[in-house]
Amino acid sequence: MTSFDDLGLSQKVLGAVADAGYSTPTPIQEGAIPHALLRRDICGIAQTGTGKTASFVLPMLTLLEKGRARARMPRTLILEPTRELAAQVAENFEKYGKNHKLNIALLIGGVSFDEQDRKLERGADVLICTPGRLLDHAERGKLLMTGVEILVIDEADRMLDMGFIPDIERIAKMIPFTRQTLFFSATMPPEIQKLADNFLQNPVRVEVAPPSSTAKTVTQRLVASGSKDYDKRARLRDLIRAQDELKNGIIFCNRKKSVADLFRSLERHGFDVGALHGDMDQRSRTTMLANFKDNRIKLLVASDVAARGLDIPDVSHVFNFDVPIHAEDYVHRIGRTGRAGRSGSAFTLVTKADSKYLDAIEKLISQKIEWLDGDLTTVVASSDDADESKGRGRDRDRRGKGRRQAAETTSTTETSNGKKAENVKQARNTENTTESAARNSRPRPANDDHRTRRGRNRDNDDGPTPVGFGDDIPAFMLVAAKA
Ligand code: AMP
């Protein structure tokens, strides 16, 4: 078996690796490190959780031992799609670089420029950045990238999803052509392959753990639900309450707006819950994540982008409030549980509109996922099945009924805790939110691709911007007009 000593890493790095308690390199480390040390370009196909970060940080540290940083001229540059990932890579540099005296600058959005400027002024050996913030610094003339020897492009498929590729192309043009490039992606669809061909020169390809597999130790179940948000929320609450073995769990939503709404709803219903989404400032996100890691919060509602790549230790449960639109996201989400041979449970709420996405997931993972207690034919026809166009009066009635049902469910479930009055009140509060959500769930224009607009996207890492008032419609506009 290969050991870390066989990879060609420096003594300082080996010391830090031993202190981290790692005995053997992971496959991506074994495959990438020796080539990276020989200054070869790398095309690494690996997802988070495979030890991917150390596979580029360790050789970079070894290579950086020669030479020194100069003011405003960084020697290495790492691009990450989200602030959390960037912060995590910085932590890795601190951990593995504890025997080095390197200056690291973390250039991410959502925090002030001043301190970042000071770090650049002092001279940074390593820049860890989100693309938008890096370009902001470069455009302000605060940064010269002609000294960059190593460029890392991490999570390339996510960069593509988020519309960051034009930014990365611009950045790559500011860096000498003779650089070494280490390129990582969890998946390798043709567009990503094309990018890799553009950015890399004669790369060594290292591929580990195909992204289409879910751990055998995870019990996966589909849970049929009505389509309205309040149906799904009630179903989710029942599901969570039914879990005897729930230690901690992540609840995934497809949009950041749903994350915020679901979080507020669960909180009102008395769950021990936090949220992670792209609109939160950096400090709140970091605090939230720390609270979850330290078991101060049991449930975390998150979007894919906000949660992607986060180094969260094994969770017992994953709940998909929405069926993910990209099948690979299902694999990533499920990968949060059942790590290192431990058992885990993953539940996915499925509505009638989700069949197409569900088919794609089952095809990707080459397996049929079992239904928990009956498939979609068991879902009692609810408001979502009725034709919206059948008249506003009837529509209002139906919503009223749905809301009353939601309130009843809540009050009966919680009566045993002696909280009936309080919970009916809570349910009523939820009604207001669900009503505004229902009224505003208009389809967005198909071409509303926020990701192509760099300015808007720089500090924003998921979900389209709401149209008009979004779900935050003022209450006075929700009062029914008198005939
Ligand atoms: P990553 O894929 O970089 O997010 O790493 C996932 C986790 O694996 C992190 O918690 C690392 O600290 C850990 N890790 C990285 N390399 C090794 C190794 N060789 N042995 C054990 N754990 C590792």
Side-chain angles (χ1 to χ4, degrees), residues 266-288:
L266 287 170
E267 200 178 38
R268 269 198 297 271
H269 282 271
F271 288 91
D272 182 10
V273 65
L276 208 60
H277 62 80
D279 276 353
M280 289 163 68
D281 65 50
Q282 184 60 29
R283 188 185 292 181
S284 319
R285 293 203 221 191
T286 313
T287 311
M288 190 62 75

Side-chain angles (χ1 to χ4, degrees), residues 22-47:
Y22 305 158
S23 48
T24 44
T26 64
I28 185 77
Q29 291 163 0
E30 193 180 330
I33 291 174
H35 298 291
L37 287 171
L38 293 173
R39 301 232 175 230
R40 288 286 302 271
D41 281 4
I42 305 275
C43 180
I45 304 156
Q47 22 184 333

Side-chain angles (χ1 to χ4, degrees), residues 53-64:
T53 318
S55 79
F56 59 83
V57 173
L58 302 182
M60 284 172 86
L61 283 166
T62 299
L63 294 171
L64 278 166

Side-chain angles (χ1 to χ4, degrees), residues 4 22-26 29 47-54 88 92 95-96 309 311 339:
F4 274 106
Y22 305 158
S23 48
T24 44
T26 64
Q29 291 163 0
Q47 22 184 333
T48 41
T50 56
K52 167 174 70 87
T53 318
Q88 232 163 257
N92 272 259
K95 178 160 94 178
Y96 304 131
D311 187 15
R339 288 191 179 181

Side-chain angles (χ1 to χ4, degrees), residues 413-434:
T413 329
E414 305 274 343
T415 310
S416 55
N417 297 338
K419 292 182 183 169
K420 187 172 175 180
E422 176 59 18
N423 282 298
V424 171
K425 201 169 97 202
Q426 282 181 351
R428 292 223 172 98
N429 287 340
T430 317
E431 290 167 34
N432 294 334
T433 325
T434 35

